[in-house]
Amino acid sequence: MTISSKRAGGIIRRREHGVLSRLRRAVARTALLSVAVLALAGCAGVVRRDAVPAQLTNVAEVPGAGPIRFWGDEATPSLEKLAASTRFFSQRQPRNVNSLTLSGGGANGAYGVGYLLGWTARGDRPKFDIVTGISVGALIAPMAFLGTTYDARLKAVFMNLAQSRAPGPGVLAGIFGAPAVASNRPLKVAIADLIDQQALDAIAREYGRGRLLLVGTTNLDAERPVVWNIGAIAASDNPDRLELVRSILLASAAIPGVYPPVLINVVANGTRYSELHVDGGVTQEVILVPEGASIPKARSGSKQNLYLIYNGVVQPEWSAVNPTALSLVARSIPTLIKYLGRQDIAALASKAKASGVGFHLITIPPSFKTTIDILPDPKYLDQLFAVGLAAGQAGE
C-alpha cells in the first residue's frame, strides 16, 4: 500500500488507540521472555577482546578500511561527502534522484521483498541512487541497490530462509549464560548467498559512480546507532572486506537475546578491541541521513523522490486487552516499537518536505494481520510475500 506524503502525515499524527491482536499478544509473551533471558544472562558466553574504553569510542576504527562509518545520532557527514563521486549531486544538467530506505520488521520483510519484485514486474522501478536498510531491511538493501537483475537471487534466498529452521541453545541455556536462544546459522547462509565476491565487486563499482548503500547497526557497548557505508567498504583495500560486509548485515539483523550479537574488531590508539553490535532496529527503524542533517535539495529543474518501504503496519489495530500485568506489558512492547517507527517515519517525511523531496510511504496494508513472531509459519510468509507482490505490481 502506497501512502502519499499528506496522508502519511495524517497517519503519523492520528491519536494512538491501537492494541494487539490475540496472535500478537501470544507472540509478544515470547518476546518478553527473551528480554528476561537477556537480563539474566547478559552477554556471558561470548568470547571477545576487551570492549573499547568509553573515552576511545569516537576514535575506534576498523583497521585497513578507512572512513567507512559514522554515528547515526549526530550530524556528521553529508550524503554528498559520503559518495565516492559527487556527480549525482553536483552535475550541471538537471536529473532526477531516487532514494530507497527499507525498515526493519523481522519476518515481515517478506512484504518488502514481494513489493520490490512486483515493482519490477510493473516496469517502472527506478535505479536508486541511495539505498539504506535496517535489520531485515539491511538484508534486502544490497539487492535493491544492485537492481532488478538481482531479483531472482533476492527471491531465492528469502524463500530458502523462510523454510529454514535451526534449533538454538534454547531458553534454559540462555538463563545459564548462552548469548542467545536461537541459532543464526540459516541467516549466515542466506547472507553468504546474497553477498558473494561478484556482488561485492558490483557494489564497489556502483559506489565509484557516486551511488550510496548504507546499513545500520547498534553498537550496544556505546548504546548508539552506527551507519555503515557498504560501498566504501566494498571499494576499500581491506582484504577481509567481504567478511566484514557479511558481519555487518548479520549484526543488523541480530535481535538481542534471540540471535547472538556480532563482534566487530577495531583499533583505537594502536590497541585492538572489539565492539558488540546488534540489530539496527534497537536504535532506529529507518535511516537515510544522520540526525540533524538534511536531505540534499534537488537542483533546479530536477526532481527527487524518497521511497520508504516499511515492513509493518503503521495504523492502530484495535483489540480488547485483558487488564492483567502480562497482557498489558505484552500489548505495550510491540505497540511501543510501532510508534517509535512512526516517529522515525515522521522525522524522515519532515526532512523530505524541507528539502522539496517527494515522499512515498509504502506499508503493509492494515487488512493483513501481521505477527512479530521471529520464526512464523512458512504459509504466513508466502501470504505476506504475495500481498507485497500484488501491491508492487499495482503500485499501491
Side-chain angles (χ1 to χ4, degrees), residues 91-161:
Q91 61 182 9
R92 294 181 180 180
Q93 295 299 319
R95 67 178 297 278
N96 294 342
V97 176
N98 294 295
S99 303
L100 172 69
T101 186
L102 296 141
S103 80
N108 290 335
Y111 179 81
V113 173
Y115 193 94
L116 284 171
L117 269 59
W119 200 346
T120 298
R122 193 169 76 225
D124 61 350
R125 178 175 146 189
K127 181 178 182 179
F128 299 107
D129 302 302
I130 304 168
V131 178
T132 74
I134 283 283
S135 194
V136 69
L139 305 185
I140 303 171
M143 300 297 99
F145 177 78
L146 290 175
T148 57
T149 56
Y150 285 77
D151 280 0
R153 182 184 301 199
L154 179 63
K155 181 179 180 181
V157 170
F158 269 81
M159 292 301 101
N160 290 339
L161 186 60

Side-chain angles (χ1 to χ4, degrees), residues 163-171 173 180-186 258-260 375:
Q163 299 292 332
S164 299
R165 293 292 185 273
V171 173
V181 298
S183 170
N184 62 5
R185 188 168 68 251
V258 177
Y259 294 125
L375 297 172

Side-chain angles (χ1 to χ4, degrees), residues 12-317:
I12 301 302
R13 292 190 296 269
R14 187 179 299 164
R15 189 176 179 183
E16 302 171 0
H17 291 298
V19 293
L20 298 176
S21 66
R22 182 179 305 167
L23 178 58
R24 284 196 169 195
R25 291 200 302 271
V27 173
R29 290 188 180 95
T30 302
L32 287 173
L33 181 56
S34 296
V35 171
V37 168
L38 185 61
L40 288 169
C43 291
V46 176
V47 179
R48 64 177 299 183
R49 289 194 179 109
D50 290 339
V52 180
Q55 68 272 20
L56 298 180
T57 300
N58 285 328
V59 299
E61 59 182 18
V62 178
I68 58 170
R69 62 183 187 169
F70 56 90
W71 295 116
D73 58 359
E74 64 182 29
T76 42
S78 65
L79 289 178
E80 294 97 327
K81 291 181 179 179
L82 288 174
S85 166
T86 60
R87 74 182 185 89
F88 279 123
F89 303 104
S90 62
Q91 61 182 9
R92 294 181 180 180
Q93 295 299 319
R95 67 178 297 278
N96 294 342
V97 176
N98 294 295
S99 303
L100 172 69
T101 186
L102 296 141
S103 80
N108 290 335
Y111 179 81
V113 173
Y115 193 94
L116 284 171
L117 269 59
W119 200 346
T120 298
R122 193 169 76 225
D124 61 350
R125 178 175 146 189
K127 181 178 182 179
F128 299 107
D129 302 302
I130 304 168
V131 178
T132 74
I134 283 283
S135 194
V136 69
L139 305 185
I140 303 171
M143 300 297 99
F145 177 78
L146 290 175
T148 57
T149 56
Y150 285 77
D151 280 0
R153 182 184 301 199
L154 179 63
K155 181 179 180 181
V157 170
F158 269 81
M159 292 301 101
N160 290 339
L161 186 60
Q163 299 292 332
S164 299
R165 293 292 185 273
V171 173
L172 187 60
I175 292 175
F176 286 98
V181 298
S183 170
N184 62 5
R185 188 168 68 251
L187 195 55
K188 286 183 177 180
V189 171
I191 291 171
D193 288 341
L194 283 171
I195 306 296
D196 55 14
Q197 189 62 51
Q198 181 271 334
L200 191 75
D201 292 342
I203 291 171
R205 286 194 298 273
E206 294 304 315
Y207 172 71
R209 294 167 180 161
R211 298 174 65 216
L212 289 172
L213 172 60
L214 307 176
V215 165
T217 66
T218 296
N219 181 330
L220 208 56
D221 294 320
E223 201 180 35
R224 298 181 69 181
V226 178
V227 179
W228 299 81
N229 189 337
I230 302 299
I233 298 172
S236 74
D237 293 329
N238 189 320
D240 299 320
R241 57 189 178 276
L242 178 59
E243 287 308 314
L244 177 58
V245 169
R246 288 173 173 175
S247 293
I248 292 166
L249 298 184
L250 184 65
S252 188
I255 302 170
V258 177
Y259 294 125
V262 175
L263 297 176
I264 303 292
N265 293 324
V266 297
V267 173
N269 286 359
T271 302
R272 293 184 176 272
Y273 300 99
S274 65
E275 297 173 343
L276 193 147
H277 287 256
V278 297
D279 193 334
V282 170
T283 46
Q284 49 190 351
E285 285 296 304
V286 297
I287 61 170
L288 183 67
V289 292
E291 186 174 302
S294 61
I295 299 173
K297 294 182 181 294
R299 294 180 61 84
S300 177
S302 64
K303 294 181 180 179
Q304 283 202 64
N305 289 296
L306 167 58
Y307 300 90
L308 166 55
I309 297 181
Y310 187 78
N311 294 299
V313 176
V314 296
Q315 292 88 345
E317 298 168 275

